[in-house]
Structure formats: structure tokens, C-alpha cells
Amino acid sequence: MRKWHRWLSVIFAVFLFFIAVTGLLSHLAAWSRVEPSAEAAAAAAPPPGFVCPDGWRCTPPRGDQEGLASLTGFFHHLHSGEEFGPAGEAISFASGLALLFFALSGIWMYVRMWRERARRGARARWFWN
């Protein structure tokens, strides 16, 4: 298992780093949004007599965002791989599967090492060198 863990980590390290960075940027951009003022919301309100269709959420447009908030959609497309087409989406999906594999195999290897230490009668500790 260690061999698989090691080889896959070499291959997917760059992709996982890219996905982590774009995910963080996407969240930072979303958090930097500025909500429109009450006057702007009233100006963008639907005309009198307009009824929002069932199942729809009718809200006024957010307006033009500035700075990092204007890049929210772009960061999301980078993060999901959509910006690179079907190949990017496939790599993003495979990276998610690799991340699950690394988490589960890491826990499995840790438990095996823990049991081996217990079998040898070594002092029980959470972390060791």
C-alpha cells in the first residue's frame, strides 16, 4: 500500500495543490462580495404586478462586483476543471478520488503501524519517529 500511496502522491500532488489553491481563491472571492444597498435593490425590483413563477427564486441582480469578487465564477471554473474542458473535469474528478484514496490509505497504514508497535510491546503513543 505504501508503494501505491507514494507513486500516486507524486502524480497527483500538482493537481491537488492546484485544486486547493483555486478552491481557497473561490471562497475568498465569494466572501468579498458586497451586497447591494437598499436603494439599488429597490431600483432593480420587478415591475408592479410581476409574480415570481413557482419554484423560482426571484431576487434582484447583484450588480457589478469589483476586485476579487468579480472573479468568483472564473475561480470556480478553474477549481472544477470546467475551464479546461472535459479533460480538466476528468482530472479534477480523478484528483478527488485520489484525495479519498490518500486519506483512507494513510489511515490504514497508520493503524497497521500502530498494531505492529502494540505487537512488539512498544510504548503506546499517538505519534512516533
Side-chain angles (χ1 to χ4, degrees), residues 27-63:
H27 281 290
L28 286 174
W31 289 339
S32 68
R33 286 186 179 156
V34 178
E35 294 298 324
S37 65
E39 295 83 24
F50 175 79
V51 177
C52 188
D54 288 341
W56 287 52
R57 188 179 71 180
C58 297
T59 58
R62 289 187 175 265

Side-chain angles (χ1 to χ4, degrees), residues 10-129:
V10 169
I11 295 169
F12 280 102
V14 173
F15 298 115
L16 291 174
F17 181 77
F18 179 80
I19 289 172
V21 169
T22 56
L24 289 171
L25 289 173
S26 179
H27 281 290
L28 286 174
W31 289 339
S32 68
R33 286 186 179 156
V34 178
E35 294 298 324
S37 65
E39 295 83 24
F50 175 79
V51 177
C52 188
D54 288 341
W56 287 52
R57 188 179 71 180
C58 297
T59 58
R62 289 187 175 265
D64 292 334
Q65 297 288 329
E66 296 178 357
L68 195 58
S70 65
L71 298 173
T72 302
F74 176 67
F75 289 140
H76 173 74
H77 284 273
L78 283 176
H79 181 70
S80 65
E82 295 173 36
E83 198 68 26
F84 305 108
E89 291 178 12
I91 289 172
S92 180
F93 183 76
S95 297
L97 292 176
L99 188 57
L100 284 173
F101 170 77
F102 294 141
L104 295 174
S105 65
I107 290 170
W108 184 56
M109 286 187 297
Y110 183 84
V111 167
R112 286 184 59 197
M113 289 176 5
W114 180 274
R115 287 181 180 165
E116 180 62 24
R117 284 182 57 82
R119 187 186 63 77
R120 287 192 323 236
R123 193 172 90 190
R125 294 187 299 180
W126 283 99
F127 304 104
W128 56 86
N129 296 340

